[in-house]
Every structure is written in C-alpha cells, then in structure tokens.
C-alpha cells in the first residue's frame, strides 16, 4: 500500500509498467524516456499485441505467464527487431506486482537496457 510508482520513476527512465486489463490484454501504462528513444516510438497507452510481432509476442506472453502465474521475477534477453537500428539486444528484469484487484500478480514492472552492435551477449 505504500508503493508509489511516481517515486520509483526518479530512479531511471528505463522502466516500464504493464497491467492486465479486463479484456485480458496487457497494457503499457508507463514507459520511460530511454525505452521510447531506443524503440523509436511511445509505448505508453498501447497494448503489447499492438507493437510486438508474432514471435516476440509469443516470447513475451510465455514469460508473463511465468512472472504472473508463479509470482516470480524473470530476466529476458532478446533481439529488438522493431527498432530502426542496425542491431539491438534487449536485457530486461521483470518483477511481478499486484494491483489489489486480483489475488494474483496482474501487473509487472520492467527495467530494460539496450546494447547496440554487440553480438557477444
């Protein structure tokens, strides 16, 4: 009850917050400035299925099932295909959260870091 996302945002603009909606879709409710710059467009207010290709969405949804189904953090590493960049590897740490609406984690916070032109990750 004392958690405030606004307080957390001052620690970095590489954070994103996602929330399960009533129609069982994942909405990006906040996306930090560095993520927006790296991916090339604003994600806040968009659903995952609006900006992920089929393979990426399947990868993310499997991980979300683990994060929210098991209530455990997960680290991801994948190639960012939707950015207009030569090569980008995304490294992220995802932590489950509960909004209080459900008995299970129905939100998660993500810290993302992008590495350019490095094939050794």
């Amino acid at each position: 009850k004392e958690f405030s996302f606004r307080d957390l945002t001052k620690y970095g603009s590489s954070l994103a917050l996602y929330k399960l909606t009533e129609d069982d879709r994942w909405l990006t409710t906040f996306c930090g400035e560095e993520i927006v710059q790296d991916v090339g467009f604003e994600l806040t207010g968009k659903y995952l299925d609006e900006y992920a290709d089929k393979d990426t969405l399947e990868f993310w949804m499997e991980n979300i099932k683990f994060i929210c189904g098991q209530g455990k953090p997960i680290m991801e590493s994948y190639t960012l295909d939707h950015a207009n960049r030569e090569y980008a590897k995304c490294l992220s740490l995802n932590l489950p959260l509960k909004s209080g609406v459900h008995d299970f984690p129905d939100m998660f916070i993500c810290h993302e870091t992008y590495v350019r032109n490095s094939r050794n990750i």
Side-chain angles (χ1 to χ4, degrees), residues 39-100:
V39 300
F41 56 91
E42 176 63 66
L43 303 176
T44 302
K46 294 189 174 22
Y47 292 93
L48 288 179
D49 57 30
E50 291 180 310
Y51 58 85
D53 63 33
K54 182 181 180 247
D55 292 336
T56 302
L57 185 59
E58 285 178 17
F59 173 79
W60 285 345
M61 293 310 294
E62 284 300 314
N63 289 343
I64 290 169
K65 285 179 189 176
F66 182 82
I67 296 164
C68 295
Q70 301 291 320
K72 295 181 180 179
I74 191 170
M75 294 181 69
E76 296 176 327
S77 174
Y78 60 92
T79 302
L80 184 64
D81 292 326
H82 58 265
N84 294 325
R85 306 288 198 276
E86 182 180 326
Y87 181 83
K89 189 69 149 177
C90 178
L91 306 171
S92 66
L93 174 63
N94 301 276
L95 306 169
L97 298 171
K98 289 183 183 180
S99 68

